[in-house]
Amino acid sequence: MKDKKAKLYVITGPSGVGKGTVLSKFFEKNKGNIIYSVSCTTRKPRLGEKNGINYFFISKEEFKKDIENNEFLEWAKYSDNYYGTRKDFVLNSLENGKSVILEIETQGAKKIMEEYKNCVSIFIMPPNMDELENRLRGRKTETEEMILKRLDIVKSELEESKNYKYVVINDKVDKAFEQLQSIYEKERAI
Ligand code: ADP
Ligand code: 5GP
C-alpha cells in the first residue's frame, strides 16, 4: 500500500525507554516506505554507532555554524550536548512524497508540533520508573553522571505526554512495535 500523503512523524520519550529498539523493528518491516531522519549531534559515538547511520557526529563549532546558517528544522540542548534535525533532508523527502520519522527529545518535538500541526506525534512511555532506570543502566552506554542527568529530566518529559496524539507504553517490545505499526497503518490511509 502507498501512503495517501507524505507525513511527518515525531517520536519521543525519555532516554532508555526503548525508542531505538522499537523503531529498529519498525524499520525492518517498513523499509522503503518511510524514512528515518538521521540527526546531527555533538555527543561522542557509542560503541558500534556509525557516522551517517545513527547520527552525523559533528563538533560544537560546526553545530553552532549550522544553527546560524538555519540548517536545522529544530534543535535542542540535551544533557550537555546539541541535537538537531536537518531541515533540507526532511523537507525534500516530504516534497518527494516520502513520509519521515524524527526520533527526537521533547523540547525539539514541541517546536515541531507547534510548527507542523499535522504531524503525527507519538510518545513512548515506560511501564514504570524503576524499569526505565533498569533499561538505561542496563544499556551500559552512559557514565553514572550521564545516567543521573538523564533521569533528572524524566518527570518533566513525561508531563509532556498529554500533548501527543498517540501514547505507546513500551512494556513488551513486540506489543509496542505492533501498536506503532497499527498507528502507522491507520495514518497512512488518511
Ligand atoms: P532509547 O532509544 O529510548 O534511549 P533503547 O532502545 O536504547 O532506548 O533501549 C534502552 C535499553 O532498554 C536497551 O538495552 C534495550 O535493549 C532495552 N529495552 C528496550 N525496550 C525494552 C523492553 N520492552 N523490555 C525490556 N528491555 C527493553
Ligand atoms: P542519545 O544521546 O540517547 O542518542 O539521544 C538523547 C536524546 O536526544 C534522545 O531523546 C533522542 O531522541 C534525542 N535526539 C536525537 N536526535 C535529535 C534531534 O535531532 N533533535 C532533538 N531535539 N533531539 C534529538
Side-chain angles (χ1 to χ4, degrees):
M1 189 186 88
K2 269 191 78 163
D3 293 25
K4 201 139 187 219
K5 60 173 182 253
K7 289 189 178 178
L8 185 59
Y9 290 75
V10 182
I11 300 206
T12 194
S15 181
V17 72
K19 299 182 293 297
T21 306
V22 176
L23 276 177
S24 80
K25 256 182 111 63
F26 177 82
F27 276 102
E28 265 170 41
K29 184 165 170 96
N30 301 292
K31 212 159 85 187
N33 294 329
I34 182 160
I35 299 174
Y36 181 78
S37 159
V38 178
S39 295
C40 295
T41 185
T42 60
R43 86 151 161 75
K44 298 279 166 284
R46 294 178 187 139
L47 200 68
E49 282 187 330
K50 291 200 168 58
N51 191 39
I53 301 216
N54 305 94
Y55 282 106
F56 293 100
F57 295 99
I58 64 176
S59 65
K60 283 201 169 128
E61 291 68 35
E62 282 175 277
F63 200 101
K64 285 184 178 154
K65 217 185 295 158
D66 287 351
I67 295 174
E68 276 167 27
N69 293 335
N70 199 21
E71 303 268 8
F72 293 125
L73 196 62
E74 63 71 37
W75 64 270
K77 193 170 183 205
Y78 172 92
S79 259
D80 298 335
N81 279 299
Y82 292 91
Y83 295 81
T85 301
R86 292 171 310 142
K87 186 193 272 180
D88 282 0
F89 177 81
V90 173
L91 297 185
N92 289 340
S93 302
L94 292 171
E95 263 166 40
N96 291 329
K98 281 277 181 198
S99 292
V100 182
I101 288 195
L102 312 183
E103 181 197 341
I104 61 178
E105 53 67 68
T106 48
Q107 305 166 71
K110 200 169 179 178
K111 287 183 221 158
I112 295 287
M113 284 151 64
E114 280 162 9
E115 203 164 323
Y116 298 88
K117 302 265 187 240
N118 292 331
C119 74
V120 180
S121 56
I122 303 166
F123 195 98
I124 314 270
M125 281 278 229
N128 56 62
M129 283 300 293
D130 284 351
E131 175 63 15
L132 178 68
E133 187 167 345
N134 287 342
R135 287 183 195 170
L136 193 52
R137 290 185 184 285
R139 192 168 68 189
K140 296 195 188 325
T141 49
E142 276 79 32
T143 61
E144 182 63 18
E145 190 194 351
M146 286 152 90
I147 289 171
L148 293 177
K149 271 195 182 151
R150 285 174 181 233
L151 288 173
D152 201 39
I153 54 171
V154 172
K155 200 164 162 260
S156 65
E157 290 178 316
L158 294 183
E159 275 165 13
E160 291 291 319
S161 64
K162 62 180 182 297
N163 301 320
Y164 287 68
K165 185 166 184 187
Y166 300 100
V167 173
V168 171
I169 299 172
N170 180 20
D171 190 351
K172 297 272 175 279
V173 176
D174 285 351
K175 221 170 124 213
F177 157 71
E178 275 163 27
Q179 282 180 34
L180 183 62
Q181 185 66 29
S182 71
I183 291 169
Y184 174 54
E185 280 166 18
K186 179 176 150 195
E187 287 288 340
R188 61 190 307 215
I190 49 177

